[in-house]
Amino acid sequence: MKKLPSNYILAVVSAVAAFISFLLIRKFFGGQAGDGVAQAICDALSDSGSCDKVSESSISAIRGVPVFGDIPIALFGFVFYGFITYLFVRSELNKDASKGYLLFSFYTLVLALVVDIALFSVSVFYIDAICGLCAVTWTCTVLLTAGTFLQIRDFGDKSPKIIPGILKTEGLNTYIVLLALLVVGQIGGKSLNNSLVDGEHTGLSQIQKQLTDYEKAPLLSIDIKGSSFQGDPNAPITIVKFADFNCGHCMHTSHILKKVLRDYDGIVKVVYKNFPLDASCNRLVQSPRPEASSCVAASAAICADKQKKFTVMYDDLYKNTENQVMHTPSTVLSLAQQEGLDMNQFRSCLSSPTVRDQINKEVDEADKLQIHSTPSLFINNKAIQSGTPNEQFLRALIESLIKKV
């Protein structure tokens, strides 16, 4: 049996890393519902919710880039590993320049290793979660660096000065490969989540399929008594949102629901239930957040609701999340004072058994509904796909339900 060349083995490893990076791009654009394969792999390799926490973090993307919108950090990984795969294949096909390609790959991988160490540090010390998919790509970087070193260790001259010659040789090919990878990663990763349904490439098909799925979904029993809400209490359409105040996708969903409440005044009410992704107050979650921040935020929202100030506290908490301000007793007290709450009553409420009971009740409800991630939305007692909802679908569903009431 013919032995597979070492360069091709390295190319396969880097191609696997590129594929994992592509799954991370899809995960970023689709939230918890971004990709079933991605979620399954991540859940198998890391704590449940870790990938969601990383993809929702403020540093998971370069946001608001003109024309392009949000550019996920995973896109750079996809481009890098894709390009390294190209270099390994070229080093095998072009034996005369093989040394140059391998040296180029090695020094690029050393730089990537430094970047990966920085990303690992950020995950551990800032985000406080390690995404299993990210860990796979970091492992691939280590394997590729070691494998490439074994390829070049017998080279007499390992100087990086040979690299400019390779770039000159490749010329236009380098730009074409990099541009192609950027397009496939950004546009492919985004559009597959937004519009690919049963082989059709239109957003309308996606919305129609979601409407059909909603009609087929079973009716569920959801107890909304005592939960915070916005809108007309007698509205015929009820949206129930299970969320965490540290969740980026929950924050984006809050913006969508605010517009829905404005545009369907008297028709829609939104009921808010807490599902803190924080083991400090949620028995269904394994890892606690630093300073129990999700639990503190949930408690603050409940206590503000008791003084009929839920809406302003809700908005303020997500504004802090957006500004990377951690929720602590100090920050929520500051928000309460800013919004004119009775501070003695608010302080007493934060540590009261009533608040803990309310959170436990909502967590028990989430357990019954088999909720494992946020945001999870239910409309008139039927579940829709978890993650940030497609606003077009949400409006289409509301319009459909209006015709029936």
Side-chain angles (χ1 to χ4, degrees):
M1 183 176 178
K2 189 176 179 180
K3 185 179 178 182
L4 187 67
S6 298
N7 291 331
Y8 284 154
I9 294 175
L10 292 173
V12 169
V13 174
S14 56
V16 168
F19 174 70
I20 295 296
S21 297
F22 187 73
L23 291 182
L24 284 166
I25 296 170
R26 294 189 62 182
K27 177 68 180 166
F28 172 81
F29 284 119
Q32 285 86 353
D35 188 278
V37 176
Q39 194 66 51
I41 296 174
C42 208
D43 286 344
L45 297 174
S46 53
D47 291 341
S48 178
S50 294
C51 286
D52 297 329
K53 191 173 179 181
V54 172
S55 69
E56 293 163 5
S57 70
S58 59
I59 58 173
S60 63
I62 301 172
R63 302 184 187 274
V65 178
V67 179
F68 299 100
D70 293 346
I71 299 179
I73 298 301
L75 175 64
F76 298 102
F78 175 73
V79 172
F80 167 73
Y81 291 116
F83 186 62
I84 289 293
T85 302
Y86 168 77
L87 291 177
F88 284 134
V89 172
R90 288 288 287 152
S91 70
E92 188 62 36
L93 296 177
N94 188 351
K95 293 295 186 181
D96 293 336
S98 179
K99 178 179 177 180
Y101 285 115
L102 287 172
L103 284 172
F104 187 13
S105 300
F106 176 72
Y107 288 113
T108 308
L109 282 161
V110 169
L111 180 61
L113 196 57
V114 173
V115 172
D116 281 355
I117 291 171
L119 291 173
F120 172 77
S121 300
V122 168
S123 292
V124 172
F125 300 110
Y126 180 76
I127 303 175
D128 192 37
I130 295 180
C131 159
L133 291 171
C134 302
V136 171
T137 63
W138 301 335
T139 303
C140 286
T141 301
V142 173
L143 293 175
L144 289 168
T145 306
T148 308
F149 176 76
L150 292 176
Q151 293 281 79
I152 69 168
R153 63 179 174 174
D154 294 329
F155 290 175
D157 181 10
K158 299 185 183 69
S159 172
K161 64 186 179 183
I162 197 173
I163 293 175
I166 288 296
L167 289 173
K168 185 176 180 180
T169 301
E170 282 297 305
L172 185 61
N173 289 345
T174 298
Y175 296 107
I176 293 174
V177 171
L178 290 175
L179 182 60
L181 289 166
L182 279 168
V183 170
V184 170
Q186 179 73 358
I187 298 178
K190 189 173 185 179
S191 62
L192 279 172
N193 276 304
N194 289 344
S195 62
L196 183 58
V197 181
D198 296 335
E200 299 180 37
H201 294 261
T202 67
L204 290 175
S205 299
Q206 171 76 337
I207 291 171
Q208 188 55 54
K209 182 178 184 300
Q210 287 181 302
L211 289 171
T212 301
D213 290 344
Y214 175 84
E215 290 298 327
K216 294 178 181 177
L219 276 171
L220 303 167
S221 174
I222 304 177
D223 181 10
I224 61 175
K225 185 178 179 181
S227 295
S228 308
F229 74 92
Q230 286 179 278
D232 186 337
N234 298 314
I237 297 174
T238 299
I239 300 175
V240 178
K241 176 192 179 189
F242 282 83
D244 178 319
F245 283 103
N246 277 308
C247 161
H249 290 295
C250 300
M251 179 182 66
H252 297 318
T253 301
S254 72
H255 298 322
I256 294 172
L257 294 179
K258 183 179 288 188
K259 289 188 284 185
V260 166
L261 282 166
R262 178 197 66 202
D263 296 342
Y264 294 95
D265 184 31
I267 298 172
V268 172
K269 73 169 178 280
V270 180
V271 177
Y272 300 93
K273 286 180 172 284
N274 294 288
F275 189 75
L277 299 174
D278 191 335
S280 304
C281 62
N282 186 341
R283 62 181 177 80
L284 303 179
V285 176
Q286 296 178 350
S287 303
R289 281 188 182 269
E291 300 188 49
S293 58
S294 290
C295 300
V296 169
S299 300
I302 292 170
C303 290
D305 186 44
K306 293 184 183 301
Q307 296 190 42
K308 302 190 184 304
K309 293 275 190 175
F310 170 77
T311 299
V312 291
M313 180 61 75
Y314 175 86
D315 291 341
D316 287 344
L317 288 168
Y318 275 127
K319 191 176 297 181
N320 273 2
T321 299
E322 198 161 10
N323 293 329
Q324 299 180 39
V325 176
M326 181 181 286
H327 304 301
T328 65
S330 175
T331 62
V332 298
L333 285 169
S334 176
L335 293 178
Q337 190 164 31
Q338 170 188 309
E339 299 299 348
L341 275 73
D342 181 318
M343 295 307 295
N344 289 331
Q345 183 181 336
F346 186 78
R347 286 191 187 90
S348 176
C349 176
L350 283 178
S351 57
S352 69
T354 304
V355 170
R356 290 195 296 272
D357 290 345
Q358 179 69 26
I359 293 175
N360 288 335
K361 176 185 175 184
E362 293 177 352
V363 168
D364 289 343
E365 185 85 11
D367 189 18
K368 184 182 73 173
L369 296 169
Q370 299 184 339
I371 292 172
H372 303 290
S373 60
T374 57
S376 288
L377 270 62
F378 299 82
I379 301 179
N380 279 6
N381 295 319
K382 286 188 176 186
I384 65 170
Q385 193 176 50
S386 62
T388 305
N390 180 311
E391 187 173 347
Q392 287 180 290
F393 158 68
L394 198 56
R395 289 178 181 275
L397 177 56
I398 291 171
E399 293 290 344
S400 172
L401 293 173
I402 287 173
K403 296 174 183 176
K404 300 177 182 179
V405 296

